[in-house]
Amino acid sequence: FAVLQAKEYLAIQKSMTESNIKDSELKVEFAQIDLQKYKEGDWPQLKKNTGTTIKIAEIELERANDRCTWTRQLHSKGYASRSELEADNLTVEKSKIGVDKAKEELRLLEAFDHPKKIRQLEAKIS
């Protein structure tokens, strides 16, 4: 009876070990896929989106500057009020902040978030 129990226990252990090995192999395979997806898909898309945000913010700043210049000229001729000029100046400042914010977001992504994510995904492989 003891021999029979030992054989059954051994068979169960072998089955569990094989299952654990297959599970581990799948985890490594999925981790490799996740890393590849991040490197080739998620990261380039995130970087592109942030670059687009910067470009839009820069265009908005340019437009705000143009409008402010125009309002300044109108104000000097008496065709625009002081409050309109101040509102346009405020829009320029907000646009500058928007550009700075977007550029800082990209800097943080490149300097910290990207390397951290790569390291996290690589750690899942080993």
Side-chain angles (χ1 to χ4, degrees):
F1 179 74
V3 170
L4 183 61
Q5 272 187 324
K7 285 181 181 180
E8 286 179 11
Y9 179 77
L10 180 61
I12 291 171
Q13 290 301 314
K14 283 182 181 180
S15 176
M16 287 178 57
T17 302
E18 288 174 10
S19 177
N20 288 340
I21 290 171
K22 286 180 184 178
D23 185 48
S24 296
E25 288 171 346
L26 276 176
K27 285 181 181 179
V28 169
E29 182 181 341
F30 292 155
Q32 289 170 335
I33 291 169
D34 287 344
L35 178 61
Q36 182 180 4
K37 178 183 176 273
Y38 178 76
K39 284 182 174 179
E40 297 176 15
D42 295 344
W43 169 244
Q45 186 63 42
L46 184 58
K47 191 173 180 180
K48 182 178 179 181
N49 289 347
T50 306
T52 301
T53 302
I54 292 170
K55 187 152 193 99
I56 290 169
E58 289 172 341
I59 291 169
E60 288 175 352
L61 175 59
E62 184 179 330
R63 291 187 72 206
N65 276 324
D66 290 346
R67 180 175 171 91
C68 188
T69 300
W70 180 247
T71 303
R72 194 173 290 116
Q73 290 173 0
L74 291 176
H75 177 62
S76 69
K77 295 178 183 181
Y79 296 116
S81 68
R82 179 85 181 143
S83 64
E84 289 173 311
L85 181 58
E86 288 173 359
D88 286 347
N89 282 328
L90 180 60
T91 301
V92 168
E93 290 304 313
K94 284 181 180 179
S95 296
K96 286 179 183 177
I97 291 168
V99 169
D100 291 343
K101 180 181 174 187
K103 286 181 177 179
E104 181 64 8
E105 182 179 337
L106 179 60
R107 186 189 74 79
L108 292 173
L109 282 171
E110 290 176 335
F112 301 105
D113 294 347
H114 176 63
K116 178 182 174 184
K117 183 71 173 181
I118 292 288
R119 186 65 192 111
Q120 285 174 335
L121 291 170
E122 288 173 343
K124 289 182 179 181
I125 293 172
S126 45

